[in-house]
Amino acid sequence: MAAPLSVLVVEDDFLIRACLTEFLEDSDIHVLEAENCAEAWRHLDQSGPIHAVVTDISLPDGNGKNLSMDLRARWPEMPVIFTSGHGASVYEKTEIAPPHDRIVTKPYPLSAVLDAIHELTGTHQDRVPAQ
């Protein structure tokens, strides 16, 4: 059996982070959680392989765009899924690299994030947990 995907979720809203984490874990994804950029970097520097990052664009100590630019200096192919409560127009403002990135606007169905993870990592989902 292959090792599960490992995803870093960077979200400062505790309830959003907790719900998304539980949903992804129920979908057989290993989740690392961070509430800001500093915690995200601790995971990126100290954890095993991370297959994708899900990050809010607005964070208390920075933003998801800058986080993704910095992590791409080390891992150019790292898939990043941006979440934002500012609507789809933020897509143009973040200079997202479409082959490796997606944006999911809040409020979003949890399955939209899961679908983006599977699409960007080239994996597929065998079952869909109840929402």
Side-chain angles (χ1 to χ4, degrees):
M1 172 184 258
L5 287 177
S6 183
V7 173
L8 173 61
V9 173
V10 188
E11 170 62 62
D12 59 321
D13 184 304
F14 173 77
L15 291 176
I16 293 172
R17 189 175 67 247
C19 288
L20 181 58
T21 295
E22 182 177 344
F23 179 81
L24 294 176
E25 288 175 341
D26 286 348
S27 301
D28 297 324
I29 293 177
H30 173 71
V31 179
L32 301 165
E33 297 180 59
E35 67 178 321
N36 55 45
C37 293
E39 282 186 18
W41 276 109
R42 280 194 288 281
H43 284 299
L44 289 163
D45 287 336
Q46 298 172 4
S47 299
I50 295 174
H51 300 100
V53 174
V54 178
T55 183
D56 192 359
I57 290 179
S58 299
L59 295 164
D61 63 344
N63 66 59
K65 176 186 172 185
N66 290 341
L67 176 65
S68 73
M69 291 169 58
D70 292 343
L71 73 86
R72 287 271 167 66
R74 289 170 62 180
W75 303 284
E77 304 292 316
M78 175 73 73
V80 178
I81 297 133
F82 295 95
T83 62
S84 174
H86 300 288
S89 65
V90 76
Y91 186 88
E92 290 82 26
K93 296 176 189 173
T94 59
E95 300 174 15
I96 294 172
H100 304 295
D101 299 344
R102 295 295 178 272
I103 187 158
V104 179
T105 57
K106 296 176 184 175
Y108 52 79
L110 298 172
S111 60
V113 175
L114 181 61
D115 290 345
I117 290 168
H118 285 297
E119 176 189 350
L120 293 173
T121 60
T123 60
H124 69 280
Q125 181 175 342
D126 293 328
R127 63 180 178 84
V128 178
Q131 284 193 37

